[in-house]
């Protein structure tokens, strides 16, 4: 991570300008995840990095608050982020809405809405993703899928195509080594005995359970071993709905 002070043991999931992939995952069928958004972000100090996100309304993308920057462009309809595919829709972000209680020292309330300057055109390659209701508190034990363009391993680059990986939701005690983990607001995800995880570049991407976005990729342990922490979307539905209504 280029620009945030990190708490002990935590590693935020932003990347450099080149996007790479999920660790231990497989390539998605091209454009089978039409809600996915690739974020090109320029930080206030000039660094350029990438995050993931997902389209929840034609003019709104949901992502992680630690992906905030001075200037941001969203690419929709992408599979290969270097391919300049004819399915792409590149749209500038008009306004960023990080959660008002987001704390970048302890990585809590790590959720942000992005208002696009223009509405996306819905196509076979660009679509929206449903969110859970505020009462849909998904329990541990479910097998879900994380999606993103984060690195495939710690040191080496991978291809620039969208990846996905199966990860199980774990009970809260499995994330007790994270000082500020809160089961009401976050998901503990990923079997520590398997080499499957999100990593740099996956920030802001969703974890999907039965086709519904239940979480947003937030951070991992600095040694990159699972589990990872995702922001629990259902906890924030009132706040999300308020921003969408007002904009």
């Amino acid at each position: 991570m280029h620009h945030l002070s990190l708490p002990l043991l935590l590693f935020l999931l932003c990347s450099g300008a080149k996007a790479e992939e999920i660790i231990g995952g497989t390539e998605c069928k091209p454009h089978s995840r039409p809600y996915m958004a690739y974020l090109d972000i320029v930080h206030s100090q000039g660094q350029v990095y990438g995050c993931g996100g997902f389209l929840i309304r034609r003019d709104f993308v949901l992502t992680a608050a630690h992906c905030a920057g001075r200037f941001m462009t969203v690419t929709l309809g992408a599979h290969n982020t270097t391919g300049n595919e004819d399915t792409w829709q590149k749209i500038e972000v008009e306004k960023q809405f990080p959660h008002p209680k987001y704390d970048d020292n302890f990585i809590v309330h790590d959720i942000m809405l992005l208002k696009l300057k223009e509405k996306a055109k819905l196509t076979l390659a660009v679509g929206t993703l449903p969110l859970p209701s505020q009462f849909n508190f998904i329990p541990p034990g479910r097998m879900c899928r994380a999606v993103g363009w984060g690195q495939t391993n710690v040191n080496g680059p991978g291809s620039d195509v969208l990846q996905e990986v199966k990860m199980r939701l774990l009970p809260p005690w499995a994330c007790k080594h994270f000082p500020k983990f809160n089961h009401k607001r976050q998901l503990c995800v990923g079997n520590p005995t398997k080499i499957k995880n999100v990593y740099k570049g996956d920030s802001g991407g969703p974890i999907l359970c039965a086709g519904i976005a239940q979480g947003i990729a937030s951070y991992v342990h600095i040694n990159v071993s699972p589990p990872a922490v995702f922001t629990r979307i259902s906890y924030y539905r009132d706040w999300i709905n308020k921003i969408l209504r007002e904009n």
Side-chain angles (χ1 to χ4, degrees), residues 52-117:
F54 47 102
L55 194 68
I56 62 168
R57 200 172 81 179
R58 287 178 60 196
D59 55 347
F60 265 95
V61 165
L62 192 59
T63 187
H66 76 258
C67 291
R70 175 169 54 87
F71 177 79
M72 196 179 302
T73 302
V74 168
T75 302
L76 303 169
H79 176 65
N80 187 324
T81 59
T82 64
N84 199 18
E85 301 154 317
D86 58 11
T87 53
W88 283 12
Q89 296 180 41
K90 292 182 77 74
I91 306 174
E92 290 182 10
V93 171
E94 181 177 276
K95 189 171 183 181
Q96 301 170 47
F97 296 90
H99 193 275
K101 293 184 178 179
Y102 171 65
D103 184 331
D104 65 0
N105 290 312
F106 298 105
I107 323 302
V108 294
H109 306 293
D110 190 12
I111 184 170
M112 177 168 63
L113 283 159
L114 305 175
K115 174 70 181 296
L116 306 181
K117 281 191 174 180

Side-chain angles (χ1 to χ4, degrees), residues 6-76:
L6 300 187
L8 182 65
L9 300 180
L10 306 188
F11 199 98
L12 290 172
L13 302 173
C14 286
S15 76
K18 179 176 172 59
E20 284 139 331
E21 284 91 41
I22 276 167
I23 294 172
T26 57
E27 181 178 346
C28 295
K29 180 181 177 182
H31 310 298
S32 62
R33 306 289 188 183
Y35 42 78
M36 287 300 293
Y38 181 74
L39 279 51
D40 282 301
I41 304 159
V42 180
H43 186 248
S44 57
Q45 298 176 359
Q47 302 101 320
V48 179
Y49 58 96
C51 274
F54 47 102
L55 194 68
I56 62 168
R57 200 172 81 179
R58 287 178 60 196
D59 55 347
F60 265 95
V61 165
L62 192 59
T63 187
H66 76 258
C67 291
R70 175 169 54 87
F71 177 79
M72 196 179 302
T73 302
V74 168
T75 302
L76 303 169

Side-chain angles (χ1 to χ4, degrees), residues 152-170:
T152 50
N153 58 64
V154 176
N155 298 312
S159 69
D160 295 301
V161 295
L162 187 63
Q163 299 260 324
E164 61 182 60
V165 65
K166 288 184 178 179
M167 299 178 74
R168 191 175 297 279
L169 305 187
L170 301 184

